[in-house]
Amino acid sequence: MKLKPFKLKRSFLLITILLLSMLASACGGAGGNSGTGTGGEASASNAAGSGDTASGTNSAPAGKTKVVWWHSMGGELGTAADQLVADFNASQDKVEVEAIFQGTYDESLNKMKASMDSKSGPSLIQVYEIGSRFMIDSGAITPVQQFIDAENYDLTHLEENIMNYYTFDGKQYSMPFNTSNPILYYNKDLFKAAGLDPDKAPATYEELKMAAEALSKNGAPASFAIYGWFMEQFFANQGAEYVDNGNGRTAAATQSLVNEEAGIKTLEWWKGLIDSQAAINLGRKTDDTKKAFVAGQVSMTLDSTAGLRGIVDSVGDKFEVGTAFLPKPDGSSDGGVIIGGASLWVLNNKPAEEQQAAWEFIKFLAEPQTQAKWHIATGYFPITKKAYDEQIVKDNLAKYPQFQTAVDQLHASKPSLATQGAVMGVFPEARQIVESAIEEALGGSKSTKQALDDAAKAITDKIGNYNKTVKK
């Protein structure tokens, strides 16, 4: 297999300069959606991570090929990632992987950009899903499709709705690693107290509004974080595309569609909840709505499936946690959710044998037993279907039956360009712009339509500037 060496092009340098300005991420930077490895996940963790942030060494035990893996899994997630690396290193004697925590996804990506010229960067890097367009445009990666084709690697055992996100023009560019989607969490005890059926969660915008109004009368309104990832999900759940040109997949996106019917319908519903006091606005941080839900102060919230175990464990015996699909407007039959999280990318400025060694590690991470352990330790979806046959996964589902909602929602999502997810080179900035628009609409400083029109124009302008840079 012939691997194309990396060449640092002028366009890559220009893109790097452009993207280095995106220091506030859509999910965990200045945008405020700090997380613990959940959701759309620009910030895997703001806590101290495992390992250090050194570049790693090139030395490896005799007879082994060294692979340096940069990741953004901090805290307990970092501990789980380190265990997978230890398991891999102990399983064979040809490859030695060194895992190095590099801070948030934004920080890690910026470090990668800075390292490219000196080749001091990693062999393999974990990049959040909204960084996919940049990774492809950079010319810095070897698509995993090359390795797949070289050995006829079977992809049928992997989850199609997860793999689809990282597939462009029929080619698999990266391998999913940590994956999640958003679900509705609700307090079954508060539902009972309000005279609602605790086993029948609201499935539509209208049903949720009616339930929230009843719950708020008992002092327990709903609350959803102002999170751009949620707006993207609401679009997909209606079968609506977020940017033009097939969500940026049939051709490079040139225009934001956030001000189309799906966006207006969603934001008007959201504002109606706030205006009627059926819901309260706790700002951009998902941690804040999560804490309020765990404390029993709000009756319903949205959060990542990856946060499920932490929420259930934190609630304990205080009340029964219910979970349900992401709501959609009445009459929206198509659509589904987009996966969030991150994937693994092979850097092409490393020797062919090092890239091949990185691929061997990627394959190990995709094995059913590995995915089962990762799922149990973190709450992320297994990307491998056969992981659900592992006894530890069955036991976990028995302990946390709420997680079945997440699995069912993933499988119920109809494959389409909408649910495959939008791609654009300025996605981190786009999420922030949308969050600002939601704030303006909910706060009343702008009408729903004006806020979304202004957001669409701002995003479209940034897409245009990015596309011009890429073409140079």
Side-chain angles (χ1 to χ4, degrees):
M1 176 178 60
K2 186 176 181 180
L3 299 174
K4 180 181 178 181
F6 172 83
K7 293 182 179 179
L8 189 62
K9 299 178 181 178
R10 179 171 177 266
S11 61
F12 177 76
L13 287 172
L14 290 171
I15 296 169
T16 298
I17 293 169
L18 175 66
L19 290 212
L20 279 170
S21 66
M22 302 177 190
L23 295 178
S25 81
C27 313
N33 285 299
S34 62
T36 53
T38 63
E41 323 205 281
S43 176
S45 174
N46 290 325
S50 59
D52 55 31
T53 57
S55 298
T57 62
N58 292 325
S59 61
K64 289 189 176 184
T65 302
K66 179 69 173 288
V67 169
V68 175
W69 176 36
W70 284 7
H71 67 81
S72 296
M73 301 280 92
E76 293 181 359
L77 297 175
T79 300
D82 285 344
Q83 185 58 56
L84 296 186
V85 171
D87 291 346
F88 173 73
N89 287 340
S91 72
Q92 44 72 53
D93 59 4
K94 301 296 183 184
V95 180
E96 184 80 12
V97 173
E98 179 184 4
I100 305 174
F101 176 74
Q102 292 291 351
T104 68
Y105 288 133
D106 290 303
E107 291 167 346
S108 179
L109 193 57
N110 285 333
K111 289 175 184 177
M112 186 205 83
K113 297 167 189 172
S115 74
M116 296 313 299
D117 196 30
S118 65
K119 297 185 179 181
S120 62
S123 327
L124 186 70
I125 186 169
Q126 177 193 28
V127 177
Y128 55 179
E129 86 279 31
I130 59 173
S132 298
R133 184 73 263 167
F134 168 78
M135 292 300 289
I136 294 170
D137 291 340
S138 72
I141 58 96
T142 296
V144 297
Q145 190 69 50
Q146 290 194 26
F147 304 99
I148 292 168
D149 292 343
E151 61 184 71
N152 294 317
Y153 179 75
D154 183 13
L155 294 177
T156 60
H157 68 288
L158 303 176
E159 291 278 8
E160 180 185 8
N161 284 345
I162 297 176
M163 300 297 288
N164 277 346
Y165 189 97
Y166 303 103
T167 302
F168 304 89
D169 299 323
K171 180 186 296 185
Q172 198 74 43
Y173 273 82
S174 61
M175 182 68 83
F177 175 55
N178 52 304
T179 304
S180 60
N181 63 44
I183 55 176
L184 178 72
Y185 292 81
Y186 68 100
N187 185 321
K188 286 193 171 186
D189 290 20
L190 290 176
F191 266 56
K192 291 177 186 176
L196 301 171
D197 184 350
D199 296 319
K200 189 178 185 302
T204 66
Y205 287 0
E206 292 74 12
E207 289 176 0
L208 191 145
K209 181 181 179 181
M210 291 176 62
E213 288 173 346
L215 290 156
S216 63
K217 290 177 182 178
N218 284 2
S223 186
F224 310 134
I226 296 175
Y227 191 3
W229 189 51
F230 293 156
M231 182 62 84
E232 296 153 30
Q233 298 288 348
F234 284 131
F235 264 71
N237 213 21
Q238 298 174 61
E241 294 168 15
Y242 207 59
V243 292
D244 67 350
N245 292 333
N247 243 357
R249 289 181 178 273
T250 58
T254 63
Q255 182 179 359
S256 168
L257 305 179
V258 73
N259 61 339
E260 296 288 323
E261 181 183 2
I264 293 172
K265 189 180 294 185
T266 296
L267 194 49
E268 286 183 346
W269 161 73
W270 198 338
K271 179 172 172 54
L273 291 173
I274 299 295
D275 289 348
S276 67
Q277 299 184 332
I280 56 173
N281 178 12
L282 295 178
R284 296 192 185 193
K285 293 184 178 180
T286 53
D287 279 352
D288 289 342
T289 51
K290 185 184 301 181
K291 289 174 184 175
F293 178 76
V294 168
Q297 297 168 346
V298 300
S299 54
M300 292 182 284
T301 193
L302 297 176
D303 212 311
S304 167
T305 54
L308 189 150
R309 194 174 80 171
I311 288 174
V312 174
D313 286 348
S314 296
V315 168
D317 296 330
K318 287 185 288 187
F319 60 85
E320 185 178 359
V321 177
T323 56
F325 284 16
L326 190 74
K328 62 177 66 178
D330 276 337
S332 297
S333 57
D334 291 334
V337 290
I338 312 166
I339 62 98
S343 65
L344 304 178
W345 299 76
V346 178
L347 279 297
N348 65 11
N349 65 338
K350 301 298 181 182
E353 61 271 18
E354 190 171 327
Q355 295 183 49
Q356 182 64 39
W359 169 244
E360 296 302 323
F361 177 54
I362 287 173
K363 287 192 295 181
F364 172 83
L365 294 178
E367 291 178 0
Q369 288 184 336
T370 308
Q371 280 297 302
K373 290 179 67 173
W374 176 246
H375 162 65
I376 298 304
T378 65
Y380 287 115
F381 278 120
I383 68 167
T384 309
K385 299 171 187 175
K386 290 184 178 179
Y388 293 104
D389 295 331
E390 297 291 321
Q391 190 59 47
I392 59 171
V393 174
K394 293 177 180 178
D395 293 343
N396 191 66
L397 278 172
K399 184 176 181 180
Y400 301 97
Q402 297 95 337
F403 198 83
Q404 189 63 47
T405 299
V407 177
D408 292 344
Q409 182 174 241
L410 174 70
H411 293 160
S413 294
K414 182 178 178 181
S416 68
L417 290 172
T419 58
Q420 198 172 0
V423 285
M424 51 179 151
V426 296
F427 220 144
E429 286 184 312
R431 275 191 178 167
Q432 288 184 6
I433 291 168
V434 169
E435 287 170 6
S436 295
I438 295 171
E439 285 177 332
E440 291 166 344
L442 298 187
S445 63
K446 289 183 182 179
S447 68
T448 297
K449 186 176 186 309
Q450 188 62 56
L452 290 178
D453 281 346
D454 291 348
K457 183 180 184 305
I459 295 169
T460 297
D461 288 346
K462 291 186 180 299
I463 291 174
N465 291 335
Y466 175 88
N467 289 345
K468 289 177 184 176
T469 303
V470 170
K471 291 177 181 179
K472 289 182 179 180

